[in-house]
Amino acid sequence: MVAVQDKREVPEPYRAVVDEAMNDKLRAVLHKVWGEPGPAPVQRGSVPLMTQEFRAAVPHSGT
């Protein structure tokens, strides 16, 4: 398994979307850890989709 941590600042035009996606993932994990009843919250985006979105955003970030 390989993990990559991108420490760059999120460009302002993408901040709201990235923050919302991170919150969705955190809610899904906490739902599972706490054993809450019912289906877990839906996690947006698959790894390939998120990679594609990241690559599309990189040229616009100026880095």
Side-chain angles (χ1 to χ4, degrees):
M1 176 157 77
V2 175
V4 176
Q5 182 179 10
D6 186 355
K7 294 185 177 186
R8 293 176 289 178
E9 289 293 320
V10 177
E12 192 57 41
Y14 304 101
R15 181 170 297 282
V17 174
V18 171
D19 287 347
E20 185 177 343
M22 289 178 17
N23 287 336
D24 288 347
K25 289 191 178 299
L26 179 60
R27 275 193 295 274
V29 168
L30 291 176
H31 180 88
K32 184 177 180 180
V33 169
W34 291 337
E36 293 180 3
V42 175
Q43 294 185 39
R44 299 177 331 146
S46 63
V47 171
L49 176 60
M50 292 173 61
T51 301
Q52 179 182 355
E53 291 173 344
F54 173 77
R55 287 180 175 164
V58 169
H60 300 114
S61 71
T63 58

